[in-house]
C-alpha cells in the first residue's frame, strides 16, 4: 500500500501520475466522488479498471454485480483477493480523492479485508486529504506500506524560488521568497496561483509583500487576480467548464459554445483546452490520448463559487442540462443523471432512466437500473409508470415477488395502458409470471402469449423472459410436447449473436423437461446451456446449466456426477438465484450422505447454514434446518429430527414448488413416517396426498415422484399393504419413464421391501431390480427403517425375495435340492466342486431367510419358485 495523505493543493495526483508513467507495471486510475461510496458502484468501477489492463481477470467477482443482492464483504474480499492473486503480472491501482467515501461505507470494510492478506500482484495507491479508516498498522509494521505526507509534499523555499523561475520567469528577493514560503506553507497549488498572478504584475515584489491572511484568505484573492488578467470570455468559459468533473473538446463545445459571442464562434473545444495547457490553468490530462481533462479539484471549487456568485441558479442549471444531454447521447448515463439532478430537474433525470431502462436490462445490468432509480426522489418516481415498471423489474430480479403486484396496480391506475403497447406487454408478462406462481397455468399461458405479441423485438430481456414463462405455463397445463416443439423452433430460428435469447430458450427447454420428469433430454439441454452461457460469459445462466445437470444425475442416482455439478453452483452461490442455491447445497449434502460420505455432508450443511444466514432471509434458515433434519433421518438419529418436526411451523407451499430439492413440508412427512405412531403416519399420508394432488394438477412430475414415493410408505402404515402397493405401482410408472432412482434409494430397506412385494405384478421388474441394486449399494447410511419400530415384523415378512433376486445357478441348486440330492451329487450334476455348492447354499439360505435345505425347498415352493412335490 502507498498512502498519499495531504490537504488539497499539494500535488498528490501529479506526483503519483508521473510515478506511474515512469514504471513498467500496468495501472488503472479511479477518481472517486460521493456516489462511489456505494459498494456495488465502487466494485463496478474498480473492476472496469482491472479489466482495462487484464480483460480476462476477475470474472467471478464481476458476476457478483449481477447478483440480486451483494454477499457479505468478507465473501467479496475473498473472491476478489483470489482472482487478483491469479494475475500473472503486477498491477498498480490508484484510488484518487478517497476522502469522498463516507466513513460508514462498506468500501472501507472491503479494502480493509483485502489488505489483511494483500494479493501479491496488487500495489494499491490511495490519495486522500485525510487518513482513511483502514487497518494499516499491520502493513506498516511489516514494512508493506509507503506513506507520503504533507511534510513530504511541501515545497521548500528553494523549490518555491525554482518553481517561480520556471513557471513565471521571475527571480524575486530572498525576503519576498521567505514571506511567500510563510504564506503558502509549501502549498503547491497556491504557488501555482501565485505564479499565474505574477505573470502580469508590474511590480512582483510589491505584489508578494501584499499577500496576507494565510491560505484560506489567499485562495479567492489569488483566483480573482488570475481571472482578472484573462480576457473576459476566457474567464466566463473557465467558470462554465467548472461544472464538469471531466471534460473533452466535444463536451466543452456542447456546454459552452451556445453562449459564445459572434466574434468567438471560431473558438473550439480543442483551442480552449490548448489555452488551458499553454497558460498553466490547472488542467490535468486523464488519459494518454489528450482527450479527457479535469481541473485541479481545488481550482474547480473556487471557479464554481465564482460562477454561483456571478450567474443565477437558472443559468447554472442550463449548463448542467446541456452537459446531461451530451452525456446521454454518448451513453454515459451516470454522469447524465448527475448533471440533471444538479440542475434540480428530477423530471429530466426520470426521462433519462425511462429512455435507457430497456438497454441496461437487455445487457443483464439490473443492478445499474437499481442504482439509477435510487437517485430519484420518491415524489417523482411514484407518479411515473415507466419508473414504476422499472422498479418491478428490479423486484423480479431480486425475486421479491410480493413487491410486484402493488407496482402493477399503481401503473394501471396512472395510465391507460392500451395506448402504450410495450407497457401493456410488460404488464401482461408480469401478470403471467404471477399467475404461474399461483398455479394458474391457463391464465399464465394466455397472458404470456399476449406479452409475446405486444413486447417490441428490441426489448430482448422481456421477450426472453416471456419465452421461459410461456414454456413453463404450457408445461403446467400438460402441453409439454407442444412447449418443447415451439421453444425448439424458436431456438433454431435464432441468430448466434442473440446469446441472451439463446440461453433463455435453452433454459426453458431444460426446465420443461425436468418438470415433466424427462431427465435424459433435460440433461442434454442443461449441458448445452452451460456451454453456450460459458462461451458468452453469462455466469448466471451457466450456473443454471450446472444445477439442472446436477438434478438429473441426482435423481438417476449417479452421485459422483451430481456432486461435481452441485459443487460448481455452491462455490459461486452468491452470484446465483438464492432459493436455487439453497437447493444446490441441499442436493449436495444429500448426495454425499447417500454416497456414504457423511463428513462431507456435514461440511456442506455448515456451508448451507452460513449462506442462509448471509441472505438475511429467515425462510432460508428454515430450509437449512429442514435439510439437517432430513440428514438426521438418514442416519437414524430420529430424536433430533422429531424435535425439529415439533417446532416446524408449516406454511402453505407454493403449488408449483418447481424443482427445489429441499421442501420442509415434505421433510416433515419423512420424519413422521420414520419415527411416528400410526396417527403420525395417517397425518403424513393425508398431507402427502394433498401435495400429490396439487402437483398432479399442474403436471409437476418432478415433485410428484418425490412425494409419491414417500407417500407409499406412509400409506403402508396408515391404509394397508394393498393400497400402498397400488400407489407405488403408479409412481413407479412415472419414475421409470424418466429414470428416477434416488427417491426410492433415499428411503432405504423399507422401500426395498415394498418393491419386492410389487415385483411380479404389472410393474417394470427391470427398473425395480435396478432400484433394489442401488439400495443394496447404498451402504449403512442409506436410511433407517422408515416404517418404524412397530413395523419391523411386517417388514421382515415383506423382505422375502422375488424370482429376480435368485441367480440362474441358485435356481438350479434349488431344483436339485428338491430332488433330495446330497451336496456331492449336486456338485456332480452341475460340474462344480462341493465347496462351490456350499457357497451357493449359504447364499440361498440368506436370501430365503431359512436355516437348512429342507426349509429352503419349502420356502421356494411357498414363493412359487418350485412346483410342489
Amino acid at each position: 500500500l502507498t498512502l498519499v495523505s495531504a490537504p488539497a493543493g499539494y500535488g498528490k495526483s501529479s506526483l503519483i501520475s508521473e510515478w506511474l508513467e515512469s514504471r513498467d507495471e500496468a495501472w488503472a486510475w479511479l477518481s472517486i466522488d460521493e456516489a462511489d461510496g456505494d459498494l456495488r458502484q465502487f466494485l463496478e468501477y474498480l473492476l472496469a479498471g482491472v479489466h482495462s489492463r487484464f480483460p480476462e481477470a476477475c470474472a467471478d467477482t464481476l458476476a457478483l454485480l449481477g447478483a440480486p443482492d451483494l454477499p457479505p464483504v468478507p465473501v467479496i474480499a475473498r473472491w476478489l483477493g483470489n482472482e487478483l492473486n491469479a494475475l500473472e503480472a503486477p498491477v498498480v491501482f490508484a484510488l484518487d480523492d478517497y476522502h469522498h467515501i463516507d466513513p460508514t461505507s462498506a468500501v472501507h470494510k472491503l479494502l480493509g479485508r483485502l489488505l489483511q492478506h494483500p494479493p501479491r500482484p496488487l500495489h494499491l495507491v490511495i490519495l486522500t486529504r485525510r487518513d482513511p479508516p483502514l487497518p494499516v498498522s499491520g502493513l506498516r509494521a511489516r514494512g508493506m506500506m509507503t506513506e507520503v505526507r504533507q511534510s513530504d509534499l511541501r515545497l521548500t523555499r528553494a523549490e518555491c524560488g525554482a518553481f517561480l523561475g520556471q513557471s513565471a520567469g521571475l527571480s524575486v528577493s530572498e525576503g519576498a521568497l521567505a514571506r511567500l514560503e510563510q504564506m503558502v506553507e509549501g502549498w503547491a497549488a497556491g504557488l501555482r496561483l501565485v505564479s499565474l498572478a505574477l505573470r502580469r504584475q508590474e511590480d512582483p515584489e510589491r505584489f508578494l509583500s501584499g499577500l496576507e491572511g494565510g491560505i484560506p484568505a489567499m485562495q479567492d484573492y489569488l483566483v480573482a487576480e488570475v481571472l482578472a488578467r484573462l480576457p473576459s470570455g476566457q474567464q466566463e468559459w473557465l467558470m462554465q467548464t467548472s461544472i464538469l468533473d471531466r471534460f473533452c473538446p466535444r463536451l466543452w463545445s456542447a456546454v459552452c459554445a451556445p453562449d459564445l459571442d459572434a466574434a468567438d464562434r471560431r473558438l473550439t473545444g480543442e483551442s480552449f483546452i490548448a489555452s488551458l495547457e499553454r497558460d498553466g490553468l490547472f488542467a490535468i490530462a486523464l488519459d494518454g490520448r489528450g482527450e479527457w481533462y479535469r481541473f485541479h479539484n481545488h481550482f474547480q471549487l473556487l471557479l464554481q463559487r465564482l460562477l454561483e456568485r456571478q450567474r443565477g441558479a437558472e443559468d447554472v442549471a442550463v449548463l448542467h442540462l446541456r452537459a446531461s444531454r451530451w452525456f446521454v447521447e454518448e451513453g454515459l448515463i451516470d454522469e447524465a443523471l448527475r448533471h440533471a439532478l444538479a440542475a434540480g430537474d428530477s423530471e429530466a433525470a426520470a426521462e433519462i432512466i425511462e429512455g435507457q431502462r430497456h438497454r441496461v436490462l437487455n445487457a443483464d445490468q439490473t443492478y445499474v437500473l437499481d442504482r439509477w432509480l435510487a437517485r430519484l426522489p420518491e415524489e417523482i418516481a411514484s407518479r411515473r409508470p415507466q419508473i414504476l415498471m422499472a422498479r418491478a423489474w428490479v423486484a423480479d430480479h431480486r425475486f421479491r415477488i410480493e413487491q410486484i403486484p402493488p407496482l402493477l396496480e399503481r401503473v394501471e391506475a396512472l395510465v391507460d395502458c392500451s395506448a402504450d403497447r410495450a407497457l401493456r406487454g410488460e404488464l401482461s408478462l408480469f401478470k403471467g409470471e404471477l399467475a404461474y406462481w399461483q398455479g394458474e397455468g391457463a391464465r399464465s399461458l394466455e397472458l404470456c402469449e399476449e406479452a409475446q405479441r405486444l413486447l417490441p423485438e428490441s426489448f430482448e430481456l422481456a421477450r426472453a423472459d416471456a419465452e421461459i414463462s410461456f414454456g413453463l405455463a404450457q408445461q403446467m397445463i400438460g402441453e409439454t410436447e407442444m412447449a418443447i416443439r415451439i421453444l425448439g423452433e424458436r431456438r433454431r430460428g435464432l441468430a448466434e449473436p442473440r446469446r441472451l435469447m439463446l440461453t433463455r430458450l435453452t433454459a426453458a427447454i431444460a426446465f420443461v423437461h425436468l418438470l415433466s420428469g424427462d431427465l435424459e433430454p433435460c440433461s442434454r439441454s442443461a449441458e448445452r446451456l452451460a456451454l453456450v452461457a460459458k462461451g458468452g460469459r453469462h455466469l448466471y445462466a451457466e450456473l443454471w446449466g450446472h444445477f439442472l445437470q446436477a438434478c438429473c444425475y441426482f435423481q438417476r442416482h449417479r452421485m459422483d456426477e451430481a456432486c461435481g455439478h452441485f459443487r460448481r453452483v455452491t462455490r459461486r452461490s452468491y452470484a446465483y438465484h438464492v432459493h436455487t442455491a439453497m437447493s444446490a447445497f441441499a442436493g449436495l449434502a444429500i448426495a454425499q450422505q447417500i454416497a456414504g460420505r457423511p463428513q462431507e455432508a456435514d461440511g456442506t450443511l455448515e456451508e448451507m447454514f452460513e449462506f442462509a444466514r448471509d441472505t438475511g432471509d429467515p425462510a432460508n434458515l428454515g430450509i437449512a434446518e429442514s435439510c439437517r433434519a432430513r440428514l438426521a433421518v438418514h442416519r437414524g438419529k430420529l430424536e433430533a429430527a422429531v424435535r425439529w418436526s415439533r417446532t416446524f411451523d408449516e406454511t402453505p407451499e407454493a403449488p408449483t414448488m418447481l424443482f427445489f430439492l429441499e421442501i420442509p413440508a415434505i421433510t416433515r412427512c419423512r420424519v413422521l413416517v420414520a419415527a411416528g405412531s400410526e396417527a403420525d403416519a395417517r397425518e403424513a399420508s393425508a398431507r402427502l396426498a394433498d401435495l400429490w394432488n396439487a402437483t398432479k394438477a399442474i403436471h409437476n412430475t418432478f415433485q410428484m415422484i418425490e412425494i409419491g414415493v414417500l407417500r407409499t410408505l406412509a400409506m403402508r402404515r396408515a391404509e394397508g399393504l394393498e393400497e400402498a402397493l397400488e400407489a407405488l405401482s403408479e409412481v413407479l410408472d412415472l419414475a421409470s419413464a424418466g429414470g428416477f432412482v434416488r427417491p426410492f434409494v433415499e428411503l432405504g430397506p423399507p422401500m426395498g421391501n415394498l418393491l419386492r412385494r410389487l415385483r411380479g405384478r404389472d410393474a417394470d421388474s427391470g427398473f425395480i431390480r435396478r432400484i433394489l441394486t442401488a439400495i443394496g449399494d447404498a451402504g449403512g447410511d442409506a436410511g433407517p427403517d422408515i416404517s418404524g419400530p412397530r413395523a419391523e415384523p411386517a417388514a421382515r415378512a415383506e423382505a422375502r425375495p422375488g424370482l429376480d433376486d435368485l441367480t440362474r445357478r441358485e435356481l438350479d441348486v434349488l431344483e436339485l435340492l428338491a430332488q433330495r440330492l446330497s451336496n456331492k451329487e449336486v456338485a456332480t450334476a452341475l460340474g462344480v466342486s462341493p465347496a462351490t455348492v456350499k457357497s451357493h447354499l449359504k447364499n440361498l439360505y440368506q436370501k430365503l431367510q431359512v436355516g437348512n435345505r429342507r426349509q429352503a425347498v419349502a420356502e421356494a415352493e411357498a414363493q412359487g419358485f418350485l412346483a410342489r412335490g
Side-chain angles (χ1 to χ4, degrees):
L1 171 67
T2 294
L3 177 63
V4 187
S5 179
Y10 276 86
K12 300 183 293 295
S13 300
S14 299
L15 171 72
I16 296 302
S17 62
E18 291 179 8
W19 173 76
L20 288 171
E21 290 171 0
S22 69
R23 300 177 67 84
D24 294 332
E25 291 96 341
W27 58 272
W29 190 286
L30 174 58
S31 294
I32 295 171
D33 65 22
E34 288 81 355
D36 298 335
D38 174 80
L39 181 58
R40 197 185 295 260
Q41 185 166 350
F42 176 80
L43 275 172
E44 181 184 356
Y45 292 166
L46 181 74
L47 295 173
V50 174
H51 268 270
S52 68
R53 303 294 175 176
F54 301 99
E56 302 298 325
C58 299
D60 283 356
T61 309
L62 187 63
L64 289 177
L65 297 180
D69 296 293
L70 282 179
V73 167
V75 174
I76 301 174
R78 184 173 67 249
W79 284 34
L80 180 59
N82 289 340
E83 292 196 299
L84 289 175
N85 264 322
L87 296 178
E88 296 180 357
V91 61
V92 180
F93 206 88
L95 307 179
D96 196 10
D97 294 325
Y98 191 84
H99 53 272
H100 282 312
I101 299 180
D102 187 275
T104 63
S105 171
V107 170
H108 302 304
K109 297 177 183 178
L110 172 64
L111 292 182
R113 282 273 181 170
L114 204 61
L115 291 173
Q116 285 181 1
H117 304 284
R120 290 184 302 275
L122 180 64
H123 185 161
L124 185 64
V125 179
I126 293 178
L127 298 87
T128 178
R129 297 182 190 176
R130 57 179 177 269
D131 281 2
L134 295 173
V136 296
S137 56
L139 294 175
R140 186 183 288 120
R142 286 179 283 164
M144 299 177 67
M145 175 177 171
T146 300
E147 297 178 79
V148 181
R149 300 288 180 175
Q150 179 178 348
S151 58
D152 301 307
L153 296 171
R154 290 184 60 166
L155 298 178
T156 64
R157 183 182 305 178
E159 289 170 335
C160 288
F163 183 85
L164 290 180
Q166 293 175 7
S167 61
L170 296 175
S171 178
V172 297
S173 67
E174 188 67 21
L177 198 57
R179 178 173 176 76
L180 178 62
E181 181 193 13
Q182 179 185 8
M183 296 297 296
V184 300
E185 302 175 3
W187 179 39
L191 194 63
R192 171 68 65 85
L193 285 171
V194 169
S195 73
L196 291 173
L198 284 175
R199 289 182 183 183
R200 293 179 175 83
Q201 296 291 335
E202 295 180 359
D203 189 346
E205 294 277 345
R206 181 179 179 184
F207 177 80
L208 291 176
S209 64
L211 293 177
E212 58 184 20
I215 291 175
M218 285 171 49
Q219 52 193 14
D220 285 342
Y221 169 72
L222 289 171
V223 170
E225 280 291 321
V226 170
L227 295 183
R229 299 293 190 267
L230 297 175
S232 59
Q234 192 171 10
Q235 296 177 30
E236 185 69 20
W237 305 327
L238 282 169
M239 289 188 293
Q240 290 183 2
T241 309
S242 72
I243 71 159
L244 303 171
D245 291 332
R246 62 173 182 149
F247 53 90
C248 65
R250 291 183 298 116
L251 175 56
W252 185 90
S253 297
V255 173
C256 299
D259 293 333
L260 292 176
D261 294 333
D264 296 324
R265 291 296 180 187
R266 289 178 296 177
L267 183 65
T268 64
E270 287 83 356
S271 60
F272 171 73
I273 291 174
S275 71
L276 297 181
E277 293 185 308
R278 182 182 63 247
D279 296 334
L281 291 173
F282 294 94
I284 301 171
L286 296 178
D287 55 59
R289 301 184 304 275
E291 179 182 7
W292 285 98
Y293 291 80
R294 70 172 177 88
F295 284 130
H296 185 286
N297 290 339
H298 202 67
F299 188 60
Q300 181 185 11
L301 291 173
L302 296 175
L303 289 174
Q304 287 175 348
R305 289 211 296 265
L306 286 174
L307 179 66
E308 291 168 1
R309 287 200 296 263
Q310 296 184 21
R311 302 282 293 268
E314 292 185 2
D315 288 347
V316 175
V318 168
L319 297 174
H320 279 295
L321 289 176
R322 289 175 185 169
S324 180
R325 286 192 291 270
W326 187 88
F327 278 117
V328 169
E329 292 172 359
E330 296 295 315
L332 301 169
I333 307 304
D334 281 292
E335 289 168 288
L337 289 173
R338 187 180 304 137
H339 283 287
L341 294 171
D345 195 339
S346 298
E347 298 284 357
E351 290 175 3
I352 292 171
I353 295 174
E354 290 169 351
Q356 297 292 322
R357 68 184 186 92
H358 287 187
R359 180 182 64 82
V360 294
L361 288 170
N362 285 344
D364 257 352
Q365 294 179 327
T366 310
Y367 66 93
V368 174
L369 182 61
D370 188 24
R371 183 173 75 227
W372 294 347
L373 293 171
R375 298 182 181 179
L376 288 182
E378 180 59 29
E379 60 178 351
I380 300 297
S382 63
R383 54 185 171 82
R384 298 187 72 98
Q386 297 276 353
I387 297 299
L388 293 170
M389 192 61 75
R391 284 182 169 179
W393 279 104
V394 172
D396 183 65
H397 177 67
R398 291 183 168 179
F399 212 66
R400 307 284 197 269
I401 303 299
E402 72 283 355
Q403 297 177 5
I404 297 177
L407 290 169
L408 302 185
E409 291 173 7
R410 180 66 178 159
V411 169
E412 292 181 308
L414 286 172
V415 67
D416 177 10
C417 295
S418 62
D420 189 328
R421 182 181 177 90
L423 194 63
R424 186 153 51 96
E426 290 179 81
L427 281 167
S428 296
L429 172 59
F430 281 122
K431 288 181 178 180
E433 290 181 352
L434 292 171
Y436 180 82
W437 287 111
Q438 293 164 1
E440 301 173 6
R443 175 65 174 155
S444 177
L445 183 60
E446 176 186 348
L447 288 164
C448 291
E449 288 178 326
E450 182 177 48
Q452 290 172 325
R453 291 194 302 271
L454 296 173
L455 289 168
E457 288 289 337
S458 60
F459 197 177
E460 188 172 4
L461 175 69
R463 293 192 64 85
D465 281 1
E467 295 287 4
I468 289 182
S469 297
F470 167 82
L472 290 175
Q474 274 202 317
Q475 192 278 330
M476 180 175 275
I477 65 173
E479 296 181 358
T480 299
E481 292 184 4
M482 182 179 293
I484 295 297
R485 179 177 59 80
I486 293 174
L487 291 170
E489 289 173 354
R490 290 174 179 170
R491 186 175 65 181
R492 287 189 292 274
L494 284 179
E496 182 64 23
R498 298 185 65 188
R499 199 173 291 270
L500 174 64
M501 182 67 79
L502 181 60
T503 58
R504 293 299 203 275
L505 285 169
T506 305
I509 292 171
F511 292 157
V512 169
H513 280 308
L514 190 61
L515 290 170
S516 302
D518 298 325
L519 297 181
E520 185 58 38
C522 172
S523 184
R524 291 195 302 269
S525 292
E527 183 178 14
R528 179 176 181 180
L529 172 62
L531 291 173
V532 170
K534 186 174 184 178
R537 297 182 182 179
H538 294 281
L539 179 60
Y540 189 78
E542 182 185 345
L543 293 178
W544 269 115
H546 289 299
F547 175 78
L548 294 170
Q549 287 183 82
C551 285
C552 293
Y553 285 122
F554 182 62
Q555 301 296 5
R556 292 157 69 184
H557 195 246
R558 294 172 59 178
M559 294 308 173
D560 288 342
E561 294 99 325
C563 288
H565 287 285
F566 277 136
R567 179 52 76 187
R568 291 189 182 188
V569 177
T570 59
R571 284 173 180 163
R572 295 169 166 176
S573 55
Y574 292 96
Y576 192 42
H577 179 257
V578 171
H579 202 158
T580 315
M582 290 293 295
S583 278
F585 278 113
L588 179 59
I590 300 300
Q592 290 165 335
Q593 180 66 39
I594 292 175
R597 304 196 296 268
Q599 290 183 336
E600 292 182 23
D602 286 339
T604 298
L605 188 63
E606 289 179 14
E607 293 178 38
M608 186 180 187
F609 268 98
E610 181 181 359
F611 178 73
R613 284 189 287 267
D614 289 342
T615 67
D617 186 346
N620 290 329
L621 274 176
I623 293 171
E625 290 164 355
S626 173
C627 186
R628 180 165 57 192
R630 184 172 173 181
L631 287 175
V633 171
H634 272 271
R635 297 167 182 178
K637 299 179 179 179
L638 299 183
E639 185 178 347
V642 169
R643 282 199 305 270
W644 167 81
S645 70
R646 288 172 180 166
T647 61
F648 173 60
D649 183 17
E650 183 171 353
T651 54
E653 296 285 349
T656 49
M657 294 192 293
L658 285 180
F659 28 71
F660 299 134
L661 299 178
E662 181 54 50
I663 298 174
I666 298 177
T667 294
R668 181 171 180 271
C669 292
R670 290 182 190 276
V671 177
L672 291 174
V673 173
S677 63
E678 291 185 9
D680 291 330
R682 285 194 295 272
E683 179 186 347
S685 180
R687 183 70 184 100
L688 291 167
D690 290 341
L691 291 172
W692 168 274
N693 292 330
T695 51
K696 185 176 182 179
I698 59 173
H699 301 90
N700 188 339
T701 304
F702 184 90
Q703 295 294 2
M704 285 176 66
I705 294 170
E706 188 76 34
I707 295 163
V709 174
L710 178 60
R711 181 185 173 210
T712 60
L713 288 187
M715 293 176 70
R716 173 68 183 92
R717 295 289 311 282
E719 302 173 36
L721 178 61
E722 286 305 315
E723 290 80 359
L725 292 177
E726 183 178 350
L728 183 57
S729 179
E730 182 178 2
V731 76
L732 267 172
D733 287 342
L734 293 175
S736 62
F740 283 71
V741 174
R742 191 275 318 161
F744 301 90
V745 174
E746 186 170 350
L747 298 180
M751 177 52 61
N753 295 335
L754 273 183
L755 289 170
R756 289 187 182 95
R757 294 301 296 263
L758 189 65
R759 191 167 51 183
R761 301 191 181 189
D762 294 333
D764 183 344
S765 296
F767 185 61
I768 292 177
R769 186 164 54 249
R770 178 180 166 190
I771 296 171
L772 290 173
T773 300
I775 291 176
D777 290 344
D781 289 319
D785 186 343
I786 205 166
S787 298
R790 299 182 184 179
E792 286 182 357
R796 284 196 294 269
E798 292 163 9
R800 292 174 178 174
L803 186 62
D804 291 330
D805 287 317
L806 302 183
T807 66
R808 179 67 258 173
R809 182 62 79 187
E810 288 166 350
L811 289 171
D812 291 341
V813 170
L814 266 178
E815 290 177 357
L816 294 172
L817 289 181
Q819 299 173 26
R820 300 185 179 181
L821 299 182
S822 67
N823 287 1
K824 187 175 182 180
E825 291 170 330
V826 171
T828 301
L830 296 177
V832 298
S833 69
T836 301
V837 172
K838 289 181 66 174
S839 177
H840 286 313
L841 288 174
K842 182 179 178 181
N843 291 337
L844 274 171
Y845 296 165
Q846 190 174 34
K847 289 182 179 181
L848 296 174
Q849 299 181 16
V850 297
N852 56 50
R853 47 173 59 220
R854 181 181 300 174
Q855 291 173 351
V857 172
E859 183 66 22
E861 289 175 345
Q863 291 291 322
F865 299 163
L866 294 173
R868 291 186 182 272

